[in-house]
């Protein structure tokens, strides 16, 4: 097992923690010092209880296996002490009588919690509204482009729509102009669209996806080709997307990987 750096939890040793508000929900975070850089972390249990719970219960858990990648880290003794203090003294035991234990309870990067909350919130609202992006402006723009016999997912980045290259058998240098690699949380939205359509399981196994500009793609089709925004209807009846089970998920079930402290 990797040796824990002596100063990794120095802020927790002195009992230091802070709070941040995410979409109006206050949540506490602790800090680790890694190679001179201060990184912010949130308890997985607190994130579930205070921020993510309603969404985690709403979606089929396969969504999290297929679409996201969140790394978890076990807490130290000093961090357990701080989190127990937060739970009892600052949160009125909102997390129940849970006792945080070093080497058992987990934390995740604050930025991952923020991105995960945005992902869940946008996907939830998209499902509930059952309408296209052109009718309402979501924080993240994604969906499908329908033309001829194609229905292809897209994600909007910096104001421009991008489609996965893997949907096209033949490519040219012109099509690849402006191509880019979609990764991390941007890729999660594209994977979500693929999950909805039940296509390209192999995409789930990659950390990036090469995407091409929609505006470049349109040049390969006749000028009178009709391209339209598309979003499937009645998705809330689909049990592969919506969770209809009464089974309660185990805490941390959405954490996809646990890493030694040295690999943060």
């Amino acid at each position: 097992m990797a040796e824990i750096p002596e100063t990794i939890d120095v802020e927790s040793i002195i009992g230091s923690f802070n709070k941040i508000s995410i979409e109006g929900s206050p949540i506490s975070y602790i800090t680790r010092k890694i190679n001179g850089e201060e990184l912010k972390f949130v308890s997985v249990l607190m994130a579930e209880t205070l921020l993510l719970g309603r969404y985690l219960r709403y979606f089929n858990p396969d969504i999290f296996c297929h679409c996201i990648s969140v790394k978890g880290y076990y807490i130290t003794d000093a961090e357990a002490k701080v989190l127990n203090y937060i739970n009892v003294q600052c949160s009125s035991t909102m997390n129940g009588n849970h006792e945080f234990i070093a080497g058992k309870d987990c934390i995740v990067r604050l930025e991952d919690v923020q991105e995960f909350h945005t992902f869940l919130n946008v996907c939830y609202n998209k499902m509930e509204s059952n309408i296209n992006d052109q009718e309402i402006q979501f924080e993240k723009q994604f969906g499908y482009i329908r033309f001829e016999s194609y229905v292809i997912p897209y994600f909007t980045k910096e104001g421009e729509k991008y489609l996965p290259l893997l949907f096209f058998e033949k490519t040219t240098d012109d099509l690849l102009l402006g191509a880019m690699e979609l990764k991390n949380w941007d890729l999660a939205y594209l994977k979500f669209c693929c999950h909805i359509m039940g296509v390209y399981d192999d995409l789930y196994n990659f950390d990036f996806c090469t995407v091409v500009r929609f505006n470049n793609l349109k040049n390969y089709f006749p000028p009178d080709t009709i391209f339209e925004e598309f979003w499937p209807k009645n998705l809330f009846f689909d049990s592969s997307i919506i969770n209809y089970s009464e089974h309660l998920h185990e805490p941390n079930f959405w954490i996809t990987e646990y890493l030694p402290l040295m690999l943060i």
Side-chain angles (χ1 to χ4, degrees), residues 96-153:
N97 295 319
H98 179 82
E99 179 183 1
F100 290 92
I101 299 175
K104 180 179 179 181
D105 286 280
C106 292
I107 52 178
V108 292
R109 293 284 299 273
L110 172 60
E111 61 191 52
D112 277 332
V113 171
Q114 292 171 311
E115 290 283 2
F116 189 31
H117 179 266
T118 297
F119 172 79
L120 291 172
N121 180 260
V122 171
C123 291
Y124 172 84
N125 288 328
K126 185 92 169 175
M127 295 290 296
E128 288 293 299
S129 64
N130 207 31
I131 54 180
N132 294 328
D133 280 345
Q134 60 189 0
E135 299 175 42
I136 185 172
Q137 294 299 307
F138 293 99
E139 184 173 351
K140 301 288 185 178
Q141 301 292 302
F142 63 98
Y144 305 90
I145 301 295
R146 181 164 59 185
F147 57 99
E148 295 186 342
S149 60
Y150 299 96
V151 176
I152 300 180

Side-chain angles (χ1 to χ4, degrees), residues 154-220:
Y154 76 86
F155 178 77
T156 303
K157 190 173 181 66
E158 297 177 353
E160 189 155 7
K161 291 183 175 67
Y162 288 89
L163 288 73
L165 180 64
L166 57 83
F167 279 80
F168 306 100
E169 295 180 357
K170 297 180 180 180
T171 60
T172 66
D173 291 340
D174 289 340
L175 182 60
L176 292 175
L177 285 175
M180 62 183 296
E181 289 184 354
L182 208 62
K183 58 181 65 175
N184 301 327
W185 286 102
D186 289 343
L187 181 58
Y189 296 91
L190 210 54
K191 288 184 175 182
F192 181 68
C193 289
C194 289
H195 180 90
I196 287 176
M197 300 299 288
V199 297
Y200 288 102
D201 287 347
D202 289 343
L203 180 62
Y204 301 144
N205 300 321
F206 290 98
D207 295 327
F208 67 90
C209 174
T210 301
V211 291
V212 296
R213 288 177 175 173
F214 175 48
N215 286 334
N216 287 358
L217 175 69
K218 289 191 290 186
N219 295 328
Y220 286 80

Side-chain angles (χ1 to χ4, degrees), residues 56-61 239 242-250 253:
L56 296 177
R57 292 187 294 270
Y58 178 86
F59 287 106
N60 184 309
S239 61
I242 307 300
N243 178 32
Y244 288 106
S245 172
E246 296 182 358
H247 174 72
L248 296 178
H249 304 308
E250 293 292 329
F253 77 93

Side-chain angles (χ1 to χ4, degrees), residues 45-78:
L45 178 61
M46 291 183 180
E48 291 178 355
T49 303
L50 303 174
L51 196 63
L52 307 175
R54 62 179 293 207
Y55 302 120
L56 296 177
R57 292 187 294 270
Y58 178 86
F59 287 106
N60 184 309
D62 286 347
I63 294 289
F64 311 119
C65 298
H66 291 161
C67 301
I68 69 168
S69 177
V70 180
K71 298 177 176 64
Y73 308 90
Y74 292 109
I75 60 175
T76 66
D77 288 323

